[in-house]
Amino acid sequence: KLEDFFSSEHNRNSLLVGTGNLQIVPFQEAPGSPSAGTLLNRWKREATLVGARTPVENDQLVQLKLKTSFLVFTIFAVATLGTKLLLSTPPSDLRNGVNPKQSFPSYEITLLDERFHAEGPLPLVWIFDQLTGAGKSSKENKSDEHTIHGMFRIVAKPLGDGKHLAFSSKAIVDINIKFPAILLQLLPVDKAIIEKEGSKSLQKSLERDIPPGLDKFYASYVQWLQQ
């Protein structure tokens, strides 16, 4: 059954590693990082914000490690994700014309925590740290100076002929950063340029990493069918 394919952690992880620049590992509690219980409560709040389904205790936490370039920096990030397997079609898809008698599985992957640091020219790294709170999750920032919300969903949907299916994906990313006035004066370029370049970098990362992940997921599906 298709549910068996979606239930495989290996197949799920193939979606997340994308181009191979990413590494996925099981979640492990660490000093200075939120506990599994804290992350579950955060997941419930984030699910409301990004339109995901409410998690339950048997939903899984994983960590995704990333290395990327941005302007003059090399950025290292560790993201904690909540992964939820849905073995039935979400109500939103039923409203979009999917036959309610045809139940198809899907994944919802929600960003719960992100910690990162930059390497590059020391003065600019210091500014980067002040702007982003590098090393500290934005969700722990009580002053709400910066917040990041994200969710990735992939759904199996039947095609019009009723004999074939397709995998449809959707990504939602919302990043808000408040720039302190003193730091605005220290920026090497205008804030609008940084915002534009940051958005372009994020979009390029999504366009680079999501399609290869879908390709790997599809390849795993074909291999599963042949077993």
Side-chain angles (χ1 to χ4, degrees):
K1 299 189 298 182
L2 187 59
E3 288 81 359
D4 295 333
F5 172 75
F6 269 73
S7 297
S8 165
E9 293 183 12
H10 171 78
N11 297 333
R12 178 203 64 194
N13 292 349
S14 67
L15 275 170
L16 300 176
V17 296
T19 60
N21 295 328
L22 307 175
Q23 179 186 6
I24 186 167
V25 297
F27 169 76
Q28 291 185 339
E29 295 189 5
S33 299
S35 66
T38 297
L39 288 170
L40 180 61
N41 290 330
R42 184 180 296 171
W43 191 351
K44 294 176 182 178
R45 297 193 301 269
E46 291 294 313
T48 300
L49 292 172
V50 299
R53 301 283 285 272
T54 302
V56 294
E57 290 188 2
N58 62 342
D59 289 331
Q60 295 185 350
L61 299 171
V62 298
Q63 290 182 315
L64 193 64
K65 298 183 178 181
L66 166 69
K67 176 182 177 182
T68 188
S69 297
F70 171 62
L71 295 177
V72 297
F73 305 108
T74 299
I75 300 175
F76 300 86
V78 177
T80 302
L81 308 173
T83 64
K84 187 175 186 66
L85 170 62
L86 301 172
L87 295 178
S88 61
T89 304
S92 59
D93 291 324
L94 295 178
R95 292 195 294 269
N96 291 332
V98 175
N99 186 343
K101 294 182 180 180
Q102 294 178 305
S103 180
F104 291 89
S106 63
Y107 295 119
E108 286 183 345
I109 300 168
T110 305
L111 175 64
L112 303 178
D113 188 73
E114 75 293 331
R115 296 170 189 270
F116 44 88
H117 74 275
E119 293 183 357
L122 292 180
L124 297 183
V125 168
W126 180 84
I127 294 175
F128 176 89
D129 291 345
Q130 298 305 307
L131 290 174
T132 63
K136 182 177 181 180
S137 168
S138 68
K139 296 174 178 60
E140 296 175 355
N141 193 320
K142 304 302 182 182
S143 62
D144 197 31
E145 292 178 353
H146 63 285
T147 55
I148 304 176
H149 308 287
M151 188 266 287
F152 175 70
R153 176 186 290 130
I154 181 167
V155 183
K157 291 184 175 181
L159 296 179
D161 59 9
K163 298 179 181 179
H164 301 85
L165 60 84
F167 297 124
S168 174
S169 66
K170 180 179 180 180
I172 299 173
V173 180
D174 180 29
I175 301 176
N176 298 284
I177 300 176
K178 292 183 179 180
F179 288 80
I182 184 63
L183 290 178
L184 287 177
Q185 301 175 14
L186 299 175
L187 293 176
V189 295
D190 186 77
K191 179 172 74 75
I193 295 178
I194 291 182
E195 291 175 342
K196 181 179 180 180
E197 291 300 315
S199 296
K200 287 170 59 178
S201 178
L202 176 61
Q203 182 175 349
K204 287 181 179 179
S205 294
L206 293 174
E207 292 175 347
R208 181 186 67 238
D209 292 327
I210 289 180
L214 290 174
D215 289 342
K216 289 184 178 181
F217 188 68
Y218 172 75
S220 296
Y221 176 64
V222 172
Q223 183 179 11
W224 177 77
L225 287 176
Q226 295 173 345
Q227 292 178 351

